Amino acid sequence: MWRGFSSKSSRYGALDVLVNNAAVYKVEALEKVTEEEFHREFNTNVLGPLLMIREAVKYFGPSAAASSTSGQRPSQLNPPNLSIYTATKGAVDAITRVLARSWAEKIE
C-alpha cells in the first residue's frame, strides 16, 4: 500500500484528497464483546486510517484535504449492540476534525 503512494505521486503528482473509510464490526451486546473483537475493530477502523494518514501526508500538495465517510455519523446515531463500532467511528470523526484544524493552521 505504501508503495502505491510513492508510485502514484511520481506518476500523477501530489496527493489532493484522502478519504478515511475503514470498517469492520460485529453486532453484539457490549457485555459479550471480547478483547479480540475490540482490537479487531479498533485496529481496522481507527489504526488503519491513522497509518494511512501518516503515510499519505508525505505526498500531500498545498490544496490537500482529508475527509471521513462516516455518512450519517454512526458515532452519533447510537445503534444498539454496536458500541465498539460506534466508538471507532467517533474516533475517526475526531481525528479527521483535529487534522483539518491542524492543516488549516499550517495554510494560514
Side-chain angles (χ1 to χ4, degrees), residues 11-12 18 30 50 56 85 90 94 104:
R11 187 172 183 183
Y12 298 107
L18 175 67
L30 182 60
L50 274 175
Y85 171 76

Side-chain angles (χ1 to χ4, degrees), residues 56-71:
V57 75
K58 298 174 188 175
Y59 302 96
F60 276 178
S63 62
S67 174
S68 174
T69 61
S70 291

Side-chain angles (χ1 to χ4, degrees), residues 61-101:
S63 62
S67 174
S68 174
T69 61
S70 291
Q72 295 182 351
R73 303 253 184 227
S75 62
Q76 297 172 3
L77 292 177
N78 307 313
N81 298 317
L82 287 172
S83 298
I84 305 306
Y85 171 76
T86 302
T88 67
K89 291 298 149 180
V92 172
D93 287 346
I95 290 163
T96 303
R97 286 191 308 274
V98 168
L99 288 173
R101 289 189 91 185

